[in-house]
Amino acid sequence: MGKSPNLYTFSNIDNLAKSLRTYIVHCQNSGLGRHGVFKVAVSGGSLPHTLAKALLAPSKGSDDVIHFNKWEIFFADERAVPLDHPDSNYKLLKDELLDKIPAKAGKPAVHPVDIKYLDDIQEMADLYQEELMKSFAAKDSVKLPIFDLLLLGCGPDGHTCSLFPNHELLRESDAWVAPIEDSPKPPAKRITLTLPVVTHGLKIAFVATGEGKKKILKEILDTEDGRSLPCGLVNEGGGDKVSWFTDAKAVEGTTFPRRGSL
């Protein structure tokens, strides 16, 4: 194994959100410096709520500004449901964060899935890949898109995006976006960024909080078997580009070394 991921642990979610904001602002400013936009992929679950806590907080000065009008937001995975459905990651992000962004902060460019193809998720995945190509250049000119930041969650089984343990999609090496029709977690039909796209990101952040994550985080971070779980594969492929933002309850009993600060 090469360089290890960074593990940051905080006493509570409020303190986690403050540091997550600092980290995101740094990633944002690096992206703006490179190409004038900030290209980010976001997952669902509890992540949008924590993101809102981090990103909607008042600015603490000129070096702590969220330039939402320069953001391009893609979805790390999405469910094959209408955009106003309770299972939609787009709806979750819209309700928790997007609708609450103050007008003066500007609006990000958001890339939802095309809901015309809810019954043909291969087509939905292909079209979302084309959406990525428009932003990141054609697939024949770049092997993989390079996100400035991917913001991900970790499921109790070690899944991330819609990449599940022992699933054949973990071996997908060509497509940027892939369909899944047999998700072990409902709804069954989804699309997801593939593992090479995730690990190719410049920065990858996992946010995992609460006692319910304790068992799986110990497995991912402390055991050999955990390396083959989807989150473990991201750790392996991303190395020190990967940072975990956790609260104390989520890593109680985990021996993986913590970082003192960002």
Side-chain angles (χ1 to χ4, degrees), residues 20-255:
L20 182 62
R21 178 188 177 95
T22 300
Y23 173 85
I24 292 172
V25 168
H26 176 76
C27 293
Q28 166 200 264
N29 293 345
S30 295
L32 296 182
R34 273 191 301 275
H35 41 229
V37 294
F38 179 45
K39 299 185 181 188
V40 57
V42 180
S43 277
S46 59
L47 176 67
H49 180 75
T50 308
L51 274 184
K53 196 180 279 279
L55 299 178
L56 298 176
S59 170
K60 295 192 289 292
S62 58
D63 58 350
D64 179 48
V65 178
I66 308 288
H67 299 286
F68 280 119
N69 61 321
K70 302 286 182 66
W71 284 42
E72 266 200 81
I73 300 177
F74 293 87
F75 291 88
D77 68 319
E78 184 56 284
R79 291 86 181 275
V81 295
L83 296 180
D84 59 356
H85 190 282
D87 286 332
S88 164
N89 283 342
Y90 169 80
K91 175 177 167 53
L92 188 60
L93 190 70
K94 182 175 184 291
D95 291 350
E96 293 282 359
L97 175 64
L98 300 176
D99 286 350
K100 298 175 183 175
I101 297 171
K104 66 178 186 292
K107 293 291 183 186
V110 182
H111 298 269
V113 297
D114 189 332
I115 58 165
K116 290 202 296 286
Y117 297 97
L118 295 179
D119 295 325
D120 184 352
I121 56 168
Q122 180 65 63
E123 184 67 17
M124 181 188 281
D126 291 347
L127 287 173
Y128 206 66
Q129 180 164 293
E130 286 177 20
E131 193 76 10
L132 289 178
M133 288 179 197
K134 288 177 198 166
S135 180
F136 289 94
K139 191 167 185 291
D140 56 5
S141 63
V142 290
K143 178 158 171 45
L144 291 163
I146 303 175
F147 281 98
D148 296 310
L149 173 63
L150 297 103
L151 289 158
L152 307 176
C154 167
D157 58 353
H159 86 265
T160 192
C161 307
S162 283
L163 299 168
F164 290 92
N166 303 313
H167 196 280
E168 62 184 0
L169 267 190
L170 294 174
R171 296 188 292 277
E172 175 60 54
S173 59
D174 184 43
W176 294 0
V177 182
I180 173 170
E181 299 207 41
D182 57 352
S183 164
K185 180 184 176 186
K189 292 185 176 183
R190 304 157 173 242
I191 66 169
T192 182
L193 296 181
T194 57
L195 187 61
V197 171
V198 174
T199 58
H200 212 59
L202 291 173
K203 295 288 183 182
I204 305 147
F206 285 103
V207 179
T209 58
E211 197 173 354
K213 296 291 166 72
K214 182 167 71 171
K215 183 173 181 290
I216 193 62
L217 286 193
K218 181 165 181 58
E219 185 174 355
I220 291 165
L221 295 169
D222 285 355
T223 74
E224 195 66 37
D225 287 347
R227 291 186 180 187
S228 65
L229 293 170
C231 288
L233 293 171
V234 175
N235 282 345
E236 290 285 302
D240 62 355
K241 298 188 300 179
V242 180
S243 294
W244 286 81
F245 290 81
T246 68
D247 63 359
K249 289 180 181 176
V251 288
E252 186 184 336
T254 299
T255 60

